[in-house]
Amino acid sequence: MPAPEITVAYSLSFVGLLFGIGIATALLRDETVDNDVGAFAWLLIIPGFAAISYLMMVLDIAVITVDGNDVYLFRYLDWLVTTPILVGYVAYVAGAPRRWIFGVGVADALMIAVGAIAALQTGIGTWIGFGVSSAFHLVLLGILYTVLPQYAKQNRERFRLFKILQNHVGLLWIAYPVIWLTSPAGIGAVSVAGTAMIIAYLDLVAKTPYVYFVWTEREAFSKQPATP
Ligand code: RET
């Protein structure tokens, strides 16, 4: 088992993610919204996969040591699976064509994959990886704030949800490279336990409220009344 304070943080995150699963399931079952239009099954993967990952992390599965510090592989696997969905869904809500939904997801996946490789390096390799990963983060933010709004503007019903999700992703995610920099993978100002606790709460805030915002704005996906 990880240190007690990490176990507590991971367990709380796990429970919080269960709420996210509950909300996504409620969306899938809601008769007033059109699931084909809302694509809610994708949303279920976000807290679902993360909850499994947190369970693995509490059980200390797939934790490796680099330079004397623990690296949780399930964290990166979770991010690799769920963050492309988080950004891809923002593009979907904007009404962007598939190439942009896919494009922003790929930029995100590259950011995470390179970040994971960076965490497994020691010395200069870490910093090169951090720089490349950050460059993909900037590409992602560029798409989020310059490309997607052009599509979202043409989509009145979904515009409010788009703005909420755009800022949720655009602002909250800036914390991740900052935490990474201060963590033992970076300059080491914050311990493995401190970093693990901060990330556990950030991950929860990145996921369950995201699904909740879609729930509160679900009218954007209302079923059209059948034309007689
Ligand atoms: C890393 C390290 C290298 C530089 C950058 C990073 C960005 C990570 C981000 C992660 C977001 C995770 C989320 C998880 C949700 O549960 C890989 C830390 C830029 C933005 C939203």
Side-chain angles (χ1 to χ4, degrees):
M1 294 285 267
E5 62 272 34
I6 300 184
T7 305
V8 171
Y10 283 0
S11 306
L12 285 176
S13 202
F14 175 76
V15 173
L17 288 164
L18 294 183
F19 280 99
I21 294 175
I23 299 168
T25 310
L27 267 171
L28 273 165
R29 296 170 61 101
D30 189 331
E31 300 278 327
T32 65
V33 284
D34 191 332
N35 185 33
D36 287 339
V37 180
F40 304 126
W42 287 96
L43 293 181
L44 187 57
I45 300 174
I46 297 170
F49 195 87
I52 296 169
S53 302
Y54 269 93
L55 205 56
M56 296 301 171
M57 291 197 274
V58 168
L59 298 174
D60 236 1
I61 292 171
V63 182
I64 58 167
T65 308
V66 177
D67 240 3
N69 293 310
D70 290 345
V71 176
Y72 291 87
L73 290 181
F74 261 100
R75 166 166 307 141
Y76 289 100
L77 191 60
D78 167 12
W79 290 358
L80 199 57
V81 171
T82 62
T83 61
I85 304 176
L86 286 162
V87 283
Y89 196 76
V90 182
Y92 177 75
V93 170
R98 261 168 198 238
R99 65 173 195 282
W100 281 115
I101 300 176
F102 193 70
V104 77
V106 168
D108 175 280
L110 287 169
M111 170 187 81
I112 301 295
V114 175
I117 294 168
L120 299 174
Q121 309 295 311
T122 53
I124 187 74
T126 315
W127 298 107
I128 296 173
F130 181 83
V132 175
S133 177
S134 299
F136 284 120
H137 193 186
L138 289 178
V139 170
L140 187 163
L141 289 173
I143 298 174
L144 206 58
Y145 283 95
T146 63
V147 178
L148 301 186
Q150 295 173 27
Y151 295 102
K153 268 186 239 151
Q154 301 161 23
N155 212 317
R156 276 193 47 204
E157 309 86 73
R158 298 203 216 160
F159 190 72
R160 211 165 58 174
L161 177 60
F162 167 73
K163 285 309 289 178
I164 296 171
L165 298 183
Q166 177 200 42
N167 288 322
H168 190 61
V169 166
L171 299 177
L172 183 75
W173 290 24
I174 295 171
Y176 283 88
V178 176
I179 302 297
W180 196 93
L181 265 183
T182 60
S183 80
I187 59 170
V190 180
S191 66
V192 165
T195 305
M197 288 161 71
I198 297 169
I199 293 185
Y201 299 124
L202 272 180
D203 279 359
L204 175 60
V205 175
K207 287 175 167 133
T208 296
Y210 182 109
V211 179
Y212 176 73
F213 293 142
V214 180
W215 167 260
T216 55
E217 296 291 323
R218 66 192 179 287
E219 247 181 47
F221 305 107
S222 284
K223 275 197 179 131
Q224 298 302 321
T227 33

